[in-house]
Amino acid sequence: MNTTISYTTLPEFEFVSPNTLKETLSLLNIHQSNAVVLAGGTDLLPELRHRIKQPKLIIDVKNIPELNELNLNDKFLTIGAAVPVTKVLTLPKLDSLFTALYQSLQNFCDEILRNRATIAGNIATSSPAADSAGPLLVFDAIIEIQSIKKGKCTVKIEDFFKGVKQNCLEPDELITKIRLPIPEEETKSAYLKMKRGVEDIALVGVTGASNRTKTLFAYTAVASTPILIDVSAILSKNRNQTKEDLFQIIWKQIQAKIQPISDVRSGKDYRFHIAEIYTRIILREFLK
Ligand SMILES: Cc1cc2nc3c(=O)[nH]c(=O)nc-3n(C[C@H](O)[C@H](O)[C@H](O)COP(=O)(O)OP(=O)(O)OC[C@H]3O[C@@H](n4cnc5c(N)ncnc54)[C@H](O)[C@@H]3O)c2cc1C
């Protein structure tokens, strides 16, 4: 049997709070996997208490100006890696331009945690249930990463997740920002989350985004990573079908790609059931 011990104290570690990106990258370069980054700490602190992580050095990145950028212009929404969810939610037009992202952030933890938690921390933890993952997938987010060794590079969110709590980040790499291209005009999107209580992670999360050129769905908590499914081709090939037949064709494709498991939050069949219902609700809105 797997037991998790939760200590009342944290393990011993050194703590630094650099003011520059250069210093942070250089610390990560020196200490590699002996160091961990702290943004909001809402995932990291429980991991320290459970001794899942026992780093020698914790690097707080909240004071780095470049990581606190939050900007919406006519090309991109840019979210710095240290920007808390509460602040992202204050952006004017977030709800109309990126409805699914807005809805997922409103459903994220509770008000207190949203004041600390970041989107970068959410994807860096790489839980299959990460609330921000579905919206980032359907909006083609680009993750900007920096390290001393590789300099600045970008990774598409689709290529970021590698498994349960695994991603493409090397120990010396830091997410600096997340960029989302402004969606095509008249893009509709939505995020639906089934959870057990107010501040629970999703037992199923379904995101959809649709415009004249493409229709995408993303699923969380139903596979080892958040997954993106492009149904644009099926939709355009089957436009003359009834809405119900169209849904059945699309659902068949989605059902073959998701692999929910049974765990403490839900049984596998219930997860399938909710994923189907939420997909139907979102698709119905798109076909109006
Ligand atoms: C009570 C509770 C409720 C929660 N509810 C939800 C929920 O509803 N939905 C949900 O999705 N999650 C939920 N979570 C999980 C957590 O709050 C989120 O995943 C949050 O977004 C993590 O962000 P953070 O800034 O706190 O990350 P941190 O805890 O600071 O960091 C998390 C991990 O990411 C790494 N990291 C952070 N920033 C960077 C960076 N810039 N570059 C590289 N690595 C980095 C850290 O080293 C660490 O390994 C909940 C957690 C708790 C404790």
Side-chain angles (χ1 to χ4, degrees), residues 79 81 83-85 88 101 105 108 117-124 132 136 178:
I79 305 169
V83 177
V85 168
V88 181
L101 180 66
L105 299 184
F108 201 95
T118 61
I119 298 180
N122 194 229
I123 61 166
S132 68
L136 295 186
I178 297 162

Side-chain angles (χ1 to χ4, degrees), residues 101 104-105 108 119 122-123 126-141 157-158 160-161 191 207 218-221 225-228:
L101 180 66
S104 85
L105 299 184
F108 201 95
I119 298 180
N122 194 229
I123 61 166
S126 301
S127 155
D131 270 321
S132 68
L136 295 186
L137 281 164
V138 299
F139 289 125
D140 300 324
I157 186 73
E158 238 187 297
F160 184 83
F161 301 110
Y191 176 72
T207 317
Y219 292 82
T220 39
T225 65
I227 51 170
L228 179 66

Side-chain angles (χ1 to χ4, degrees), residues 191-205:
Y191 176 72
L192 294 175
K193 171 182 181 179
M194 176 58 81
K195 57 185 174 179
R196 297 172 306 174
V198 179
E199 56 168 52
D200 199 17
I201 59 166
L203 58 91
V204 174

Side-chain angles (χ1 to χ4, degrees), residues 83 116 147 209:
V83 177
R116 296 279 319 168
S147 66

Side-chain angles (χ1 to χ4, degrees), residues 36-47 53 61-62 67 81-82 85 107-110 113 116-125 127 129-132 169 173-176 193 195 198-202:
V36 293
V37 168
L38 174 125
T42 62
D43 274 324
L44 187 59
L45 280 152
E47 286 182 336
K53 284 190 181 152
V61 296
K62 285 266 186 202
L67 270 53
V85 168
N107 259 293
F108 201 95
C109 313
D110 62 16
L113 272 101
R116 296 279 319 168
T118 61
I119 298 180
N122 194 229
I123 61 166
T125 293
S127 155
D131 270 321
S132 68
L169 287 176
E173 289 184 329
L174 180 75
I175 299 173
T176 49
K193 171 182 181 179
K195 57 185 174 179
V198 179
E199 56 168 52
D200 199 17
I201 59 166

Side-chain angles (χ1 to χ4, degrees), residues 240-268:
N240 51 351
Q241 301 279 352
T242 64
K243 284 180 187 172
E244 179 56 28
D245 286 349
L246 193 50
F247 170 75
Q248 292 302 338
I249 296 167
I250 286 174
W251 176 243
K252 206 170 156 196
Q253 188 193 334
I254 291 166
Q255 205 177 10
K257 292 192 174 163
I258 62 176
Q259 292 169 320
I261 55 161
S262 296
D263 63 15
V264 287
R265 286 197 170 78
S266 170
K268 157 182 153 178

